Amino acid sequence: MAVECLGVAEDRYFTGAMAAKFGRSLYGASRGRLRLALVQHALALDIPFACEPLLDAGGGLGQMSAWAAERGHRVTLIEPAAEMLEFARERLQGLDVTLVQGDVQSLASLAPGPWPRIICHAVLEWMAQPREGFDALANQLAPGGWLSLMVFNRDALLLSNVVKGNFDKALNNDLAGKGRGTRLTPISPLTHQQIAEWCAEAGLEIRGITGIRVFHDYLREKFPSEAQLAQLRELEFAHCRVDPFWRMGRYLHYSLYRPL
């Protein structure tokens, strides 16, 4: 497994205490396990996977790189934060994964395509200019290629704030994170309308949409039992692709295709 050390740009990266908190509070909790299961469910439904080279853009802790490598893909993981890259290296020992330190906006120079398969999950919302990241991904996607894109849903963030009683924030549209401390609220949450417009302009087709955690994050019970979580999982899988429920997912997952 190779590691290249390259420069990074200035967006909101998971460094220091934030990197540790991310791993602990997301993938160490029910919401992270559910997110991963729903994403993999969406991929199985929408995107044909053989053993193509695969780019994991902003791959973080390496969960999706491990998933892809275990299925025979030759994976390149690009990640700007050194701490996250080290976590990923430990997780990916023994797998066919090349690690590159760098940002998504620099794909053309750091990991030039065209790529037949690209994964980019929960990355664009941490950029000051997420459209630049989206365009970089679209430009590296091969004709006939698939992009698995997941973004933090601004509409769900609005609903969540209302449910919590944060009426001033909702009325003032003050939803985005400020990029300070270890808060995990993204600085650039996105809407479905934005993604749909960007796809149309880039010539990408939306072949599938999945709401990721359409119920979980609105529960009054902060610590549901294992039995409740099992029931909740069943409900999530039953409604994650059904309108209007998918629109309220904490994240929105898109299976995007570039026509030949």
Side-chain angles (χ1 to χ4, degrees):
M1 182 166 52
V3 177
E4 303 175 36
C5 293
L6 303 168
V8 298
E10 292 183 3
D11 283 315
R12 180 61 163 148
Y13 302 143
F14 287 10
T15 59
M18 193 173 180
K21 180 179 179 181
F22 177 78
R24 181 177 64 253
S25 67
L26 182 60
Y27 289 107
S30 61
R31 59 178 178 170
R33 296 191 296 270
L34 183 57
R35 174 175 122 169
L36 197 60
L38 286 164
V39 168
Q40 293 172 354
H41 173 66
L43 294 179
L45 288 175
D46 295 333
I47 300 180
F49 282 94
C51 291
E52 308 91 349
L54 183 145
L55 174 66
D56 188 2
L61 300 175
Q63 281 87 357
M64 291 308 302
S65 285
W67 177 88
E70 288 165 355
R71 284 157 179 77
H73 295 271
R74 187 171 67 255
V75 179
T76 296
L77 184 157
I78 182 170
E79 165 60 40
E83 290 92 336
M84 298 289 278
L85 209 58
E86 287 306 307
F87 284 128
R89 175 162 48 183
E90 293 179 12
R91 176 184 297 275
L92 298 169
Q93 288 293 333
L95 296 175
D96 187 7
V97 181
T98 297
L99 303 182
V100 178
Q101 186 175 355
D103 58 33
V104 171
Q105 299 95 317
S106 303
L107 287 180
S109 59
L110 301 184
W115 290 87
R117 299 292 183 272
I118 300 176
I119 290 173
C120 185
H121 294 169
V123 175
L124 297 186
E125 59 264 28
W126 295 101
M127 296 180 180
Q129 301 295 330
R131 178 63 191 268
E132 293 181 4
F134 179 88
D135 288 342
L137 294 166
N139 290 338
Q140 295 305 310
L141 186 63
W146 290 85
L147 166 60
S148 171
L149 179 71
M150 184 170 68
V151 300
F152 195 92
N153 182 6
R154 187 180 186 89
D155 292 331
L157 185 58
L158 173 62
L159 178 58
S160 177
N161 273 281
V162 173
V163 170
K164 294 174 182 176
N166 299 328
F167 302 137
D168 287 342
K169 292 185 67 175
L171 287 169
N172 294 327
N173 202 28
D174 181 23
L175 302 174
K178 302 300 187 289
R180 297 190 293 266
T182 58
R183 296 296 299 275
L184 294 178
T185 302
I187 62 174
S188 299
L190 297 163
T191 67
H192 170 65
Q193 181 178 351
Q194 286 176 291
I195 298 301
E197 290 175 355
W198 296 353
C199 287
E201 292 167 5
L204 302 184
E205 297 177 357
I206 299 177
R207 293 291 186 88
I209 307 175
T210 304
I212 306 299
R213 302 203 313 259
V214 301
F215 301 122
H216 178 282
D217 291 23
Y218 308 110
L219 295 180
R220 293 182 179 180
E221 175 56 64
K222 291 186 177 181
F223 302 102
S225 66
E226 289 301 318
Q228 289 173 317
L229 287 173
Q231 291 179 307
L232 180 61
R233 179 187 173 98
E234 185 176 348
L235 286 166
E236 294 277 2
F237 275 84
H239 293 85
C240 64
R241 292 165 72 94
V242 177
D243 199 1
F245 300 104
W246 66 260
R247 296 178 181 274
M248 287 297 100
R250 175 66 80 175
Y251 297 86
L252 298 176
H253 178 271
Y254 297 87
S255 298
L256 306 179
Y257 177 73
R258 179 175 293 287
L260 293 167

